[in-house]
Structure formats: structure tokens, C-alpha cells
Amino acid sequence: MSTRTMKVKQGNTGKTKQVPAKAAKGGKGGGKGKASTASSGGGWGRRLAMGLFLGLVVFVSYEYARLPDATALLKENPKTTALIEQRAEEAREQGHKARRRQSWVGLSAISKPAIDAVLLSEDASFYLHEGVDTKELENALQEAIRQGKLGRGASTLTQQLAKNLWLSTDRSLLRKAKELLLTRRLEEALPKNRILALYLNVVEWGPGVYGIDAGAREHFGLPASQLSAAQGALLAAMLPAPRKRSVSSGSPALKKRAHWIIDQMQAVRRLSAAQAQASHAEIDQLLGGRKTGADEDDDGA
């Protein structure tokens, strides 16, 4: 088979030299080899990405299947919670006897101002969202990226319930993912009022104190049905750090937060101006007139 040639003029000699056409085109065959290698590398990258994605799907499916079912909570109160068991284990490790003070009550046995105070403090959009406040979650994720760690913010009341019932208090991404899945299960299985009732009966209100009725008796010596707006605001203000902020702790953050909650209750017309003024005065009286100051870190609950 003949080979095609082309004439190339050499300097000023006037002579020409026949050169193979493929060589004159700059080694087209070599460039094709590089493209083939790049294509092969891209294929491996795609296969690796697909493998990682499938692995993630399998892992999430496995973890989802292991998560507890929320349906039983529609009619039954949990005998214990992950948080109660964690606090008991912490007490045993420190050589102490685990304390548990808890009494279950229905929403009708809790004063309306106390319920309003908790909702406005912890999850003002509780009856509007489906378990996750997407706007607050986005803000919290942006803050976490800036700080390089997960904070407490953006957890709805349902998310807090899921964590208290079934998860630990660590702040890992895996725990947060499980929390979101369990939150969805709670919202699908239970009506809002049942979620609220469960939350108010299992949330921590001091060392060994669980539920709003036990909290009311522990800190004010009366049942939850008799809580005033000021007392409800103080209990609600404890929730970010319930083992540090108590009425007797002298926490300036507690007082500041309680006054803010009363202002919110007035803003949404849960309290009149006169009732809000009286509640502010009651808070000062209950806390001994201590001045507010810088906020404190929460305890990871």
C-alpha cells in the first residue's frame, strides 16, 4: 500500500523533501492516545461517584429501617426516653443515684399562658410547619459552616422531641440526620397537639426533672395548671440550658430570656399591656431583682 507524501521546501536551496502526511500534521496519533487516557480517567471518576452514592443510599436505607416507629405514641406514653437513660447513666458514672421526677398531664392540665410561653420561646411556627422550619434550618447551617461546628439553633419542637425520645445529645451530622428522619415520622404519625403534649411531658426542666408538671412543682411548688405567665416564661427560658438555668441559679440569661418571652406574648396578643407589665414585675420579684447580663452557653441538652 502506498504512503501519501507532501513536499516541504528546505531553506533557500530550492530543494524539497517528501514527508509522511501524518508526521506533518503534528502526530495526530499521539494526541488521540492522551484523549483516550483522559476519557478513561473520567469514566473511573464517574464510577467511583456512583459507587459512593449507592453506598450512601444503602447506608441511609439501613439506618432508616432501624429507626423506631412513632405510631405507638398515639395512645401510649413512653415509659422512658433516651435522654432520661443518658442522664441516669451519667449519674451512675459519677457515683450518684439517678434522680427522676416526672408526672404525666394532658394539655388541659397545663395553664394556657405556660403553653404559649413555651411555644413562643421554642417554636413559634409549630402549628404551621411539618416538623422542620426550613428557613431557620438554612440559617443554622450557614452559621454552622461559618463556625465550623453544629449549634443548637433551628430545632423545632418536634425535632427536640425526637432527640429526647430516641437519640443522644451529641451534635454529629449522623445524629442530626436521624433526628430529621424521626421528626418526619412523628409528624406523619401524630397530630400536633399530641406532639406538643409529649414534648411538654418529657423535656428536661432541671437535674432529674422531666415534664412541665414536675418542673412547676420543682421550681414553684405548684402544679402546671396553676402556672402564671411569668412562671411559664421562666420555665420556657430554662429550656436552652435546663441544668444551668433555674429560678434559684441567679442566671442573668434566664431573666433576660424570660422578659423577652413576655414581650413576645404581648406582641402576639397573648397578653394585654397590663398583663405583660404585671408579668415583668413578677419575674423581677421571683428572681430577686438581679440585673441581666451576657448569655451563657447551653449544656448540650
Side-chain angles (χ1 to χ4, degrees), residues 5-277:
T5 61
M6 63 180 294
K7 294 181 178 181
V8 179
K9 189 174 181 180
Q10 294 181 323
N12 298 321
T13 62
K15 298 180 180 180
T16 62
K17 181 180 179 181
Q18 291 183 344
V19 181
K22 289 183 179 180
K25 292 182 180 180
K28 184 177 180 181
K32 184 177 181 181
K34 291 180 180 179
S36 177
T37 302
S39 176
S40 176
W44 275 107
R46 286 191 294 272
R47 285 193 288 272
L48 178 60
M50 181 61 69
L52 291 173
F53 174 75
L54 291 176
L56 179 61
V57 170
V58 171
F59 175 75
V60 170
S61 299
Y62 173 73
E63 288 293 332
Y64 184 78
R66 295 175 61 214
L67 294 176
D69 184 15
T71 306
L73 295 173
L74 184 60
K75 296 181 179 180
E76 298 178 5
N77 296 328
K79 294 180 174 61
T80 187
T81 68
L83 179 63
I84 291 174
E85 294 304 310
Q86 178 182 329
R87 296 304 189 215
E89 180 60 27
E90 291 170 354
R92 286 191 291 268
E93 290 176 353
Q94 297 171 6
H96 304 311
K97 183 179 179 180
R99 180 178 187 242
R100 179 175 174 178
R101 185 174 186 181
Q102 183 183 32
S103 54
W104 282 83
V105 293
L107 291 181
S108 60
I110 305 171
S111 76
K112 186 64 168 58
I115 294 175
D116 289 339
V118 171
L119 285 173
L120 287 169
S121 175
E122 294 298 294
D123 191 355
S125 301
F126 173 67
Y127 284 101
L128 301 177
H129 61 65
E130 296 182 352
V132 178
D133 190 325
T134 54
K135 182 178 180 181
E136 287 299 320
L137 181 60
E138 181 181 350
N139 293 337
L141 288 174
Q142 291 176 352
E143 183 66 20
I145 292 171
R146 285 194 296 268
Q147 295 185 358
K149 63 179 181 179
L150 288 173
R152 179 183 182 276
S155 289
T156 63
L157 189 147
T158 314
Q159 287 176 257
Q160 293 180 49
L161 175 61
K163 181 182 68 175
N164 284 353
L165 286 173
W166 296 306
L167 303 173
S168 67
T169 58
D170 74 275
R171 291 176 175 174
S172 68
L173 288 173
L174 177 59
R175 194 225 75 188
K176 196 67 177 178
K178 289 181 179 180
E179 177 187 301
L180 292 174
L181 291 173
L182 288 168
T183 294
R184 189 62 194 155
R185 285 193 175 184
L186 284 168
E187 289 280 343
E188 290 175 346
L190 309 175
K192 285 288 189 178
N193 279 354
R194 178 58 177 164
I195 293 173
L196 178 59
L198 286 167
Y199 174 85
L200 289 171
N201 278 284
V202 303
V203 72
E204 191 175 30
W205 253 299
V209 181
Y210 304 95
I212 193 166
D213 193 66
R217 295 176 188 278
E218 176 82 4
H219 300 290
F220 303 111
L222 45 78
S225 60
Q226 297 179 21
L227 287 168
S228 66
Q231 292 166 333
L234 285 167
L235 288 178
M238 288 179 62
L239 291 176
R243 292 186 296 166
K244 292 180 180 178
R245 299 180 182 179
S246 68
V247 177
S248 60
S249 69
S251 166
L254 178 71
K255 181 176 182 179
K256 182 178 181 180
R257 181 72 176 177
H259 280 300
W260 177 86
I261 292 170
I262 294 298
D263 287 338
Q264 297 307 302
M265 293 175 72
Q266 180 183 355
V268 297
R269 299 182 180 180
R270 296 294 187 272
L271 295 175
S272 67
Q275 289 171 326
Q277 184 177 2

